[in-house]
Amino acid sequence: MPTSPSEPAGRVGRAHPTDQSGPAALSTPAAAVGPGPADGPAPTADLAVVGAGPAGLAAAVTAAGLGLRVTLLDAGDRPGGQFYRHPAPGLGAARPEALHHGWPEFATREAALRAHVSAGRITYLPLHHVWTVAPGRAAVTHRGSAAPTAEWILHAVAGHAPEERAAAVTARAVLIATGAYERQLPFPGWTLPGVVGAGGAQAMLKGGLVLPGERVVVAGSGPLLLAVAGSLVVAGATVPAVVEAAAYTAYAGQVPALLRNPGKFVEAAGYGGALARHHVRLLTRHAVTEAHGTDRVEAVTVARLDRDWRPLPGTARRIPCDALAVGHGLVPQLELATGLGCETRPSVDGTVALVLDAEQRTSVPGIWSAGETGGIGGAQLAMIEGELAAHSVAGAPPGARLTRRRARLRAFADAMATAHRPGEGWTGWLRDDAVVCRCEEVPAGRIREATDDLGARDARTVKLLTRAGMGWCQGRMCGPAVAALAGEEAAPDRRPLSCPVPLRHLAELPPATH
């Protein structure tokens, strides 16, 4: 998970309600790796990697080192993904590494990427948002019958609007490393300006060198909260409280996994020390049940929870603040994989992840995956899985050390997921007038009406009856909440397009691709 720096990174700006920019005092970041060739037909790659975060970057440089010709596509303009988000070059950041945990390992891989791009072993395509992966040419057996797909076509939207264009890449194998997005459990007032995702607050700090406010409450559940709070206080914000819905006593049943990862204890101690030095209160088994304000959040109500996350009467208190950073963990981003028909499984944290074998293969031949798509586990685990996948694609044994590290870190990730899984009673803080779907402005009462009076028993039926999940984010923000209100377990999100695509791009596709 993203972690906090151990020393100040320099002065940062504070976000104004209508201004998300801020001054910078850190100097120039490492130069971005330039894009590879994108014009004209390109040769078929041995491996196409979707996503240049920790998993995808590790997979690409490892595969290139093993002799494969790699194409690396990423929606961002620089490698690193959400975890290693860079300040914009114009901000003149002197020490971006001070805002990150594990920066030396990333810097080594970024340098390797640059070297492989220069040598022609990797074609790096930033600002390429892959919206679908389709079967291309099929292999043919000696008897002329069709065999498993021998070539894949990756369709992407390239560049920024309005100059964006259609792009396509062909490859013999595909590795999906699309990461994850934040899980949000709505509450009254969560649409107020100044309420941001916990990961979003960290992204503002890492990418824009700005704080979401001067007095920031950090709330939700999961290890990301401590990292975010630590980053904010080191950067100059006041954090009156970290509000954690789970209880750390939940780790008591996970002792073997904890003992196998002593480094995590050191990391946790670092967080605790930073928060103690800045007099940050840690409220476990508590949740923000309402945000208050007119033009911007001005205070939050915090209540104690029972074991099922139901707010206990008589325990509510108000905490003044001008910003709230809130999140309940991460949700694997699976649209490309589920669009291909890759098998999924329920995770212990209540989300859905891909079914992967010991070599990171999905259930679809020719498609591999690494990182958060196989279950939320953090950057270190993602990089190891990227390496393992690259060895598998190249047919090169990875060595027992990598496999042991993956097993150790995955066990710890499962322990965290178990401890911080949301309890079923959290919907108790949702009044009927509280907005659940922000895009379509659907309140909880209308969703309850769909389930209680109209017979809806799943999120899809609720969507058809209320439009919850039909907006711009396509249910990424409200999906878990709608499913919980409908009484449905988490289900894989299947959609033909993983991002908005201009109609002209679809019209330009060859007939066989429609």
Side-chain angles (χ1 to χ4, degrees):
M1 296 295 172
T3 52
S4 62
S6 57
E7 57 177 332
R11 183 170 58 86
V12 297
R14 287 169 173 78
H16 187 273
T18 58
D19 180 11
Q20 297 300 306
S21 63
L26 310 178
S27 82
T28 310
V33 180
D39 297 320
T44 298
D46 297 315
L47 173 65
V49 179
V50 184
L57 181 59
V61 299
T62 301
L66 292 171
L68 299 185
R69 185 169 58 246
V70 180
T71 297
L72 174 62
L73 305 96
D74 189 59
D77 59 352
R78 304 182 71 185
Q82 296 296 329
F83 189 90
Y84 293 110
R85 181 186 286 267
H86 300 267
L91 295 177
R95 293 180 296 112
E97 67 276 7
L99 296 172
H100 295 84
H101 176 74
W103 182 268
E105 188 169 6
F106 164 72
T108 298
R109 295 184 190 278
E110 186 184 35
L113 172 62
R114 191 178 294 110
H116 286 306
V117 169
S118 297
R121 291 183 289 267
I122 294 180
T123 299
Y124 171 48
L125 302 177
L127 297 177
H128 278 61
H129 198 150
V130 178
W131 56 267
T132 194
V133 179
R137 179 177 53 85
V140 178
T141 67
H142 67 282
R143 296 182 179 179
S145 59
T149 301
E151 186 176 277
W152 299 93
I153 304 174
L154 294 82
H155 295 280
V157 176
H160 290 302
E163 290 81 21
E164 61 190 8
R165 58 184 176 79
V169 168
T170 58
R172 296 183 179 88
V174 176
L175 189 145
I176 297 173
T178 44
Y181 50 90
E182 277 196 277
R183 173 164 55 186
Q184 294 294 338
L185 304 182
F187 50 87
W190 76 308
T191 58
L192 280 170
V195 179
V196 300
Q202 207 171 46
M204 291 172 67
L205 180 58
K206 290 180 178 180
L209 303 183
V210 294
L211 296 169
E214 295 188 3
R215 187 177 177 87
V216 189
V217 171
V218 178
S221 187
L224 178 62
L225 301 187
L226 298 181
V228 170
S231 296
L232 293 176
V233 296
V234 167
T238 297
V239 178
V242 174
V243 185
E244 166 63 66
Y248 289 121
T249 54
Y251 282 96
Q254 310 293 332
V255 172
L258 301 182
L259 293 178
R260 293 173 62 193
N261 292 273
K264 299 296 183 181
F265 286 105
V266 176
E267 196 173 325
Y271 294 147
L275 299 182
R277 287 193 300 273
H278 291 86
H279 309 290
V280 177
R281 286 182 295 170
L282 176 60
L283 302 175
T284 60
R285 193 68 81 185
H286 283 73
V288 169
T289 57
E290 187 169 1
H292 311 276
T294 51
D295 297 329
R296 183 178 176 86
V297 61
E298 299 168 1
V300 295
T301 292
V302 173
R304 184 164 179 80
L305 306 179
D306 67 14
R307 290 184 177 275
D308 293 322
W309 287 32
R310 293 182 180 85
L312 294 172
T315 64
R317 70 176 89 169
R318 279 204 183 201
I319 300 178
C321 62
D322 62 5
L324 168 64
V326 59
H328 290 83
L330 302 173
V331 179
Q333 189 162 340
L334 305 181
E335 295 94 340
L336 289 178
T338 55
L340 285 164
C342 296
E343 186 179 350
T344 61
R345 61 176 178 83
S347 296
V348 293
D349 60 359
T351 62
V352 174
L354 294 179
V355 172
L356 302 173
D357 70 7
E359 296 186 8
Q360 304 297 132
R361 295 186 185 92
T362 71
S363 60
V364 176
I367 306 295
W368 281 255
S369 189
E372 314 290 42
T373 49
I376 304 304
Q380 188 179 10
L381 175 59
M383 286 187 280
I384 291 171
E385 290 185 344
E387 289 187 44
L388 287 170
H391 278 89
S392 177
V393 175
R401 178 174 169 272
L402 269 182
T403 303
R404 287 196 302 269
R405 288 184 67 197
R406 193 246 321 258
R408 175 170 55 81
L409 289 170
R410 178 56 68 189
F412 184 80
D414 288 345
M416 288 194 302
T418 300
H420 295 281
R421 177 186 175 117
E424 295 181 357
W426 73 264
T427 55
W429 67 59
L430 269 181
R431 298 194 310 259
D432 281 349
D433 63 345
V435 171
V436 173
C437 175
R438 301 165 65 110
C439 300
E440 296 294 321
E441 298 182 345
V442 181
R446 197 184 309 168
I447 296 174
R448 289 180 173 128
E449 179 186 19
T451 58
D452 298 342
D453 300 336
L454 303 180
R457 294 293 178 266
D458 56 65
R460 175 176 173 76
T461 305
V462 169
K463 177 164 63 173
L464 295 174
L465 291 171
T466 68
R467 293 192 59 81
M470 286 189 177
W472 181 258
C473 82
Q474 289 291 286
R476 289 180 178 88
M477 289 285 286
C478 67
V482 173
L485 288 169
E488 181 186 29
E489 293 291 329
D493 190 10
R494 301 186 185 278
R495 61 185 73 239
L497 312 178
S498 70
C499 70
V501 182
L503 287 176
R504 69 179 184 276
H505 291 188
L506 301 179
E508 292 168 359
L509 292 175
T513 319
H514 285 278

